[in-house]
Structure formats: C-alpha cells, structure tokens
Amino acid sequence: MEAPSPPITPYILLSLLLLQKLSGSALQQYTLQAQQDFLTPSQIDAGIRELSHQGLVTLSEADAAGEPVYAITPRGENVLQRWLVRMPVADDGATPVPLGHIPGGHLVPPHTLITLLEAHQRQCREALATCEAEVNALPLALTGTGADERTQFPSLVLQLRIAELRADLAWAEQGLGRLRPRDQAQGSV
C-alpha cells in the first residue's frame, strides 16, 4: 500500500508547474534535485490526478516520449498564492518546507518572508551558540594539532556546522536588508 502524500504535495507540484509545463517523470526529477525526494512517482501521479480533477492543472500536450505534460491553470496559480500567503509557520519559525525551498516563493508577500527570515535567524543564532559552546567544551586533546584523526572529527564536524550557520545568518541578513525596504514601501502606499 502506498504511503499517503504529504499535505504539501499539491503545493510543491503546483509551484513546479508554475515554472514550466512538466511531465510526471520531469516532476519526479525536479523533486529529487530539490531534495524533496519524499514524493514517490505514485504520489506525484495521484497528486496530478487530484489537481487535474480540481481544475488546478490541465493536460497540455505530450512530450517527445509520449508522456502527458501538465500545466498550471489560472485557478491553480490562485490556490498556490493563497496557500503561500497563509503558509503555516510554527512558533519556532518552522515551515512545512525549508526556507530556501519555499515553492513559488516569489508569490509570498514581503511581510511573510520577513517573519520567516527573522524566525530563521533566531533558530540559527540559537544553534550557533550551542555549537560554539560544544566546541569550547571539547578537550584541547580533541582539537589541538596533537590529536589523532579519530578524535579530531567531532571538532571538524562542529566547525563545519558553525560555518554553515554563519553563512545562513549572512544570507538571512542580506534577505532582510532587501525585503524590509520593499515591505515598508508597500505599507506606505
């Protein structure tokens, strides 16, 4: 028996079809490339059938291999945009999809993205503080030049995570720097 589709499956499929018309196998390739590979081919097929039944996607044509190609309808675009505007965000800033993989993110209002980025910053700062404390707590024997390869690995893993978190914080700060003026301009109109 096939596992049920995650509740965001329709929105992932709609967002991919917003970019271009795609076949079922092309949708599968995109989900694999976007590290959204929790969608199986049968879940994608079932999702497309349901979206088609609801009038949110339509059969556009067949590709060179004869596979049906689907396109998002204007109604599908409206449904996706409404979901993005009201996308659930937990108190800790968690969203149903990772912040950098928000489907159709260009449709999300600036104030929503600002809220998500600020929550992401808080999460990164907390995780960074934890990682830095763990590095500082490691005995010198694990981090110094005299440590053997086996004992240096925990330190290297933490240093990698610290670098990733610092990059995430810089990315979020840059995004906020671009979004806040746009949001303020829209608010003053």
Side-chain angles (χ1 to χ4, degrees):
M1 182 162 89
E2 183 63 45
S5 296
I8 63 166
T9 297
Y11 306 107
I12 291 171
L13 297 175
L14 287 172
S15 68
L16 290 171
L17 292 171
L18 184 65
L19 301 173
Q20 65 185 28
K21 298 173 185 178
L22 295 167
S23 66
S25 59
L27 285 164
Q28 179 67 27
Q29 284 302 312
Y30 272 95
T31 61
L32 288 171
Q33 290 171 357
Q35 298 176 343
Q36 304 279 345
D37 57 341
F38 57 85
L39 295 179
T40 66
S42 61
Q43 289 171 325
I44 290 173
D45 290 343
I48 288 294
R49 275 194 310 276
E50 182 59 29
L51 291 170
S52 181
H53 177 73
Q54 294 175 12
L56 305 179
V57 300
T58 185
L59 180 60
S60 172
E61 58 204 49
D63 64 12
E67 189 173 355
V69 174
Y70 299 93
I72 191 169
T73 64
R75 183 169 176 235
E77 287 183 36
N78 290 334
V79 166
L80 177 61
Q81 187 165 21
R82 282 195 315 270
W83 181 75
L84 289 167
V85 168
R86 61 173 173 67
M87 182 174 31
V89 179
D91 290 340
D92 65 357
T95 60
V97 289
L99 187 56
H101 295 268
I102 294 175
H106 64 286
L107 299 173
V108 179
H111 66 275
T112 302
L113 286 174
I114 289 169
T115 300
L116 293 171
L117 281 169
E118 288 171 343
H120 183 70
Q121 273 186 319
R122 283 190 301 276
Q123 289 174 324
C124 286
R125 283 189 185 112
E126 290 169 10
L128 182 60
T130 300
C131 286
E132 288 173 338
E134 289 178 20
V135 165
N136 292 334
L138 287 173
L140 184 58
L142 292 179
T143 59
T145 56
D148 64 32
E149 290 176 17
R150 180 182 55 84
T151 58
Q152 278 191 340
F153 189 72
S155 173
L156 292 173
V157 170
L158 285 169
Q159 290 169 353
L160 172 63
R161 182 66 181 135
I162 287 169
E164 291 171 339
L165 288 165
R166 287 180 177 155
D168 263 9
L169 282 168
W171 171 77
E173 191 59 42
Q174 182 182 30
L176 287 168
R178 292 171 61 186
L179 289 168
R180 285 183 176 135
R182 187 173 142 210
D183 187 49
Q184 290 170 348
Q186 285 181 353
S188 64
V189 174

